[in-house]
Amino acid sequence: PRLAIFGDSHYACLRQAHGQGLIDPAGVEIEYWGHVGKRFRFLSCQGGAIVPDDDYTAQRFAKFNEKGRTFLPAADFDMIFFMSCRIDLTALFQTLLGARRSGPFLSSGLQTRMAADRLAEQRLYTYAKALAETRTARIVLAPVTFPTLGYAGMVPPVPDAVHRATAEDRAAIWQMLADKAASDGITLLPQPEETIASGIFTHPDYAIADYEALDDHAHRNAAYGALIYRRVLALLSGKAAG
């Protein structure tokens, strides 16, 4: 099986998990294709491929790919895994979790529409959808994780009701998102429940080293990468992700 892992700086946790031997990808041909998020502003999707808009961006992506690829064609792979890729759903979760816990009441139809609209406005999500429409590679996507617990930069601030959100609350929202993604030909991977703390944050066990000193509440460590990687490999092998 041929697997491409496509991502912004958040995909470093996957490379670390791989490099540290925390996952077993035996028999899988894996390529990484990614760069820091700001370079994603210079990517387009055309002809069934993710294509840089200029030579400089193409060379930056090629630098970190095992084969020096300057673009990413869906037809070359059995699966392409979009890791984060600037697809951030935290604000949506804050709104919907707040509504579930304390109001205002939002009908299921309105919640579904809000979830669909949020996905549709994410540019890289539309690229994932376009690649899925080629019916060549299977497209799998994991959004940006929730901020690490202790992050105080959420706007608006997280209310107590959202801190009290339960696994069932989150699961209902993930299911709406997964259903919409499936209708677009995409398999969506929720953030693993065991990594979530205080309603809408990521447990510090999965933060990068020295995250407080670095003021980096966004990126994840190899332990988190291993959790996600195992789910992707299970999908690739046709086994249930656990």
Side-chain angles (χ1 to χ4, degrees):
R2 301 161 299 166
L3 169 65
I5 294 178
F6 169 47
D8 53 16
S9 57
H10 293 263
Y11 89 151
C13 66
L14 300 173
R15 300 199 74 146
Q16 291 164 5
H18 192 176
Q20 294 175 27
L22 300 182
I23 51 102
D24 180 15
V28 179
E29 182 181 331
I30 299 172
E31 288 186 40
Y32 296 90
W33 203 73
H35 207 274
V36 296
K38 63 182 180 180
R39 295 257 52 97
F40 275 59
R41 298 197 300 265
F42 306 101
L43 294 177
S44 299
C45 186
Q46 51 187 284
I50 307 294
V51 181
D53 296 335
D54 57 77
D55 289 341
Y56 177 79
T57 300
Q59 292 308 315
R60 298 310 296 169
F61 276 82
K63 179 179 179 180
F64 297 101
N65 175 261
E66 296 74 4
K67 297 182 179 179
R69 289 183 185 270
T70 55
F71 64 100
L72 188 69
D76 281 8
F77 299 95
D78 297 295
M79 178 183 288
I80 297 179
F81 175 44
F82 282 59
M83 178 60 177
S84 296
C85 293
R86 303 174 71 83
I87 300 169
D88 194 341
L89 303 175
T90 300
L92 174 71
F93 268 85
Q94 180 167 341
T95 298
L96 295 184
L97 288 173
R100 292 179 67 86
R101 301 302 298 177
S102 63
F105 172 76
L106 299 177
S107 69
S108 59
L110 178 57
Q111 292 185 57
T112 300
R113 176 62 183 271
M114 291 170 67
D117 287 351
R118 182 57 180 159
L119 288 174
E121 68 188 23
Q122 307 269 330
R123 186 163 60 93
L124 269 295
Y125 180 85
T126 67
Y127 292 3
K129 180 181 177 181
L131 293 191
E133 289 171 352
T134 69
R135 299 185 181 277
T136 51
R138 180 177 184 180
I139 306 300
V140 180
L141 183 156
V144 174
T145 57
F146 300 136
T148 303
L149 186 64
Y151 178 63
M154 298 275 278
V155 179
V158 178
D160 289 343
V162 173
H163 283 290
R164 296 193 299 269
T166 66
E168 290 74 19
D169 292 326
R170 288 184 291 271
I173 298 169
W174 283 120
Q175 190 61 57
M176 283 192 297
L177 291 161
D179 289 345
K180 171 55 181 169
S183 74
D184 291 330
I186 300 166
T187 300
L188 185 141
L189 291 184
Q191 180 169 341
E193 184 60 34
E194 62 267 37
T195 71
I196 298 175
S198 195
I200 196 172
F201 292 93
T202 298
H203 195 284
D205 284 352
Y206 300 96
I208 62 170
D210 300 322
Y211 73 96
E212 290 179 306
L214 295 169
D215 194 25
D216 185 343
H217 291 78
H219 294 93
R220 303 288 152 241
N221 60 20
Y224 184 85
L227 285 176
I228 291 294
Y229 223 137
R230 292 186 193 112
R231 286 161 168 76
V232 172
L233 292 173
L235 289 172
L236 187 61
S237 67
K239 300 176 183 177

